[in-house]
Every structure is written in structure tokens, then in C-alpha cells.
């Protein structure tokens, strides 16, 4: 049986490619529809906005990460390391496009949209919350919020190295990530406490 075409993914990859070439801000839904070989009305039925396309991309990456990072009894720190490294593996085919769309990309493309940075923070928060939960770490309440922010900082540092490192290896990324996770582990035992342990699920103060 022939494989069913993945129209949503064709739209997503077309949008990323065009965003890298022309900048995200001037990119139109019409141009994306043309590149993806789909009618504009059909495109909007699937993705109402360009932001929805980016959200669709993020959701695909999230699922790839969860599918690839098997839970094989490792420590929480090791599990988080694997989850984040699996994320870089999933993002690798799109690295050049993502780098070109950033407002501070080396190419300084005209049309780079600083709003992408804001959207990237939202995507990062969802991704790190998912990673913590996949590793068995509670994310509820004020302490959970602090854990998510801390892991976002760890991921952000490794992400920047990954985006702009031209060595062709992951050595610098892995070294940075391992050191940052070790620092978090050393700062507070509660950060890497498993879900349900202690007050890791403490409620938000009223």
C-alpha cells in the first residue's frame, strides 16, 4: 500500500524553507500555499496562521523526541540529557533554516522577525515542561514553574551553541549540557526530585 502523503508536514517544511530564504515577517500564507502545492483555502483549513504552522512543527518535534528517548531506568539527570540531545537530533535537518530565520542570525537577513524570539520562548517552555514530565519530574505549582524556567535556561545555552557551532560534531553541545545539568543537580536536590516527591507539586500560593 502506498504511503499516504503528509500534507501538513509538506506545508511546515515549505514554510521553514521560505522563511529562511525571505525572512519570516514578509512571508505570506499565499506563498506558503504555492510552495506546498496546496490551495490557500485548504492551507488555512489546516493552519490558520503562520504561528500555527510553527506550532505544528514544534508538536512534531516534541513527538519525535518522546518516541526516540526510551526510558531505560536512567537517572533523571541522564534522562533529561537524553531528551534534550534527542531534540537536537530531531531539529538537525532543519538547523540551517531555523538559524537563518533568527533575528540575530549571522546572515542578518532582511525581514527577520523579532517576534519569533517571543514565540520561541513559548515553544521552549512547552518543550521543557514535557521533558521534565517525561523524566518523571513534577511541574506543578510554583516550584514546578521554577524547574521549567531553570531547564529552559539550560536548553537555551546548549541551543545557541548547537545553532552556531560549525565543527560538525556535538562535543561542545554535550559538554555544555552535561555541565549545566550537573550545576542544577548540585544547586538543589528538589530540582531533580521525581514527581510526587516532597513538595515538588506544591500548589500555587493564593
Amino acid at each position: 500500500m502506498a504511503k499516504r502523503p503528509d500534507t501538513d508536514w509538506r506545508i511546515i517544511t515549505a514554510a521553514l524553507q521560505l522563511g529562511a530564504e525571505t525572512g519570516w515577517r514578509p512571508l505570506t500564507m499565499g506563498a506558503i500555499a504555492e510552495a506546498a502545492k496546496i490551495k490557500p483555502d485548504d492551507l488555512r483549513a489546516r493552519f490558520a496562521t503562520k504561528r500555527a504552522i510553527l506550532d505544528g512543527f514544534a508538536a512534531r518535534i516534541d513527538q519525535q523526541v518522546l518516541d526516540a528517548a526510551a526510558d531505560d531506568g536512567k537517572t533523571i539527570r541522564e534522562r533529561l540529557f537524553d531528551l534534550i540531545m534527542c531534540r537536537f537530533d530531531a531539529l538537525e535537518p532543519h538547523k540551517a533554516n531555523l538559524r537563518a530565520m533568527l533575528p540575530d542570525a549571522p546572515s542578518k537577513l532582511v525581514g527577520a522577525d523579532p517576534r519569533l524570539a517571543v514565540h520561541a520562548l513559548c515553544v521552549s517552555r512547552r518543550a521543557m515542561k514535557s521533558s521534565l514530565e517525561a523524566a518523571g519530574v513534577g511541574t506543578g505549582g510554583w516550584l514546578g514553574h521554577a524547574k521549567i524556567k531553570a531547564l529552559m535556561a539550560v536548553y537555551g545555552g546548549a541551543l545557541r551553541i548547537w545553532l552556531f557551532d560549525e565543527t560538525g560534531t556535538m562535543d561542545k553541545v554535550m559538554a555544555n549540557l552535561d555541565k549545566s545539568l550537573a550545576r542544577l543537580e548540585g544547586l538543589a536536590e528538589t530540582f531533580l526530585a521525581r514527581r510526587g516527591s516532597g513538595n515538588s507539586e506544591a500548589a500555587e500560593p493564593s
Side-chain angles (χ1 to χ4, degrees):
M1 182 182 294
K3 187 176 181 180
R4 186 175 180 181
D6 190 342
T7 304
D8 284 359
W9 188 243
R10 189 171 76 244
I11 292 168
I12 290 168
T13 53
L16 292 177
Q17 181 64 41
L18 287 175
E21 293 173 356
T22 67
W24 189 253
R25 182 161 41 191
L27 180 60
T28 66
M29 292 291 280
I32 295 171
E34 182 178 356
K37 297 180 173 58
I38 186 173
K39 295 179 180 178
D41 288 346
D42 292 340
L43 169 60
R44 291 188 179 277
R46 293 172 180 272
F47 299 103
T49 64
K50 292 190 295 181
R51 177 164 181 163
I53 294 174
L54 292 178
D55 285 337
F57 172 64
R60 293 291 186 104
I61 295 298
D62 288 344
Q63 192 57 56
Q64 287 182 44
V65 170
L66 294 177
D67 290 344
D71 188 355
D72 52 5
K74 294 180 179 180
T75 66
I76 292 175
R77 174 178 157 188
E78 291 169 338
R79 178 83 167 128
L80 289 172
F81 181 90
D82 286 350
L83 285 161
I84 293 176
M85 290 307 300
C86 283
R87 183 167 299 278
F88 289 134
D89 288 342
L91 290 170
E92 184 65 33
H94 317 284
K95 181 176 181 178
N97 289 339
L98 294 173
R99 180 169 54 191
M101 287 194 296
L102 290 178
D104 58 347
S107 59
K108 296 292 183 182
L109 287 178
V110 175
D113 190 347
R115 289 174 296 183
L116 281 175
V118 176
H119 185 260
L121 285 175
C122 297
V123 169
S124 175
R125 188 185 192 285
R126 290 195 298 266
M128 294 305 100
K129 182 176 186 293
S130 173
S131 294
L132 284 166
E133 291 171 351
V137 179
T139 58
W142 64 268
L143 184 55
H145 178 68
K147 293 176 183 179
I148 295 169
K149 288 190 68 174
L151 193 59
M152 284 174 64
V154 168
Y155 174 62
L159 177 66
R160 187 164 189 82
I161 294 173
W162 173 76
L163 276 172
F164 300 109
D165 181 24
E166 300 291 352
T167 62
T169 72
M170 296 294 285
D171 294 349
K172 290 182 179 180
V173 176
M174 290 190 293
N176 174 272
L177 181 58
D178 186 61
K179 182 178 180 180
S180 297
L181 287 174
R183 187 181 300 117
L184 280 182
E185 191 176 44
L187 283 175
E189 292 182 2
T190 53
F191 179 81
L192 295 184
R194 288 195 179 276
R195 185 184 291 112
S197 300
N199 63 346
S200 62
E201 294 290 343
E204 293 277 5
S206 57

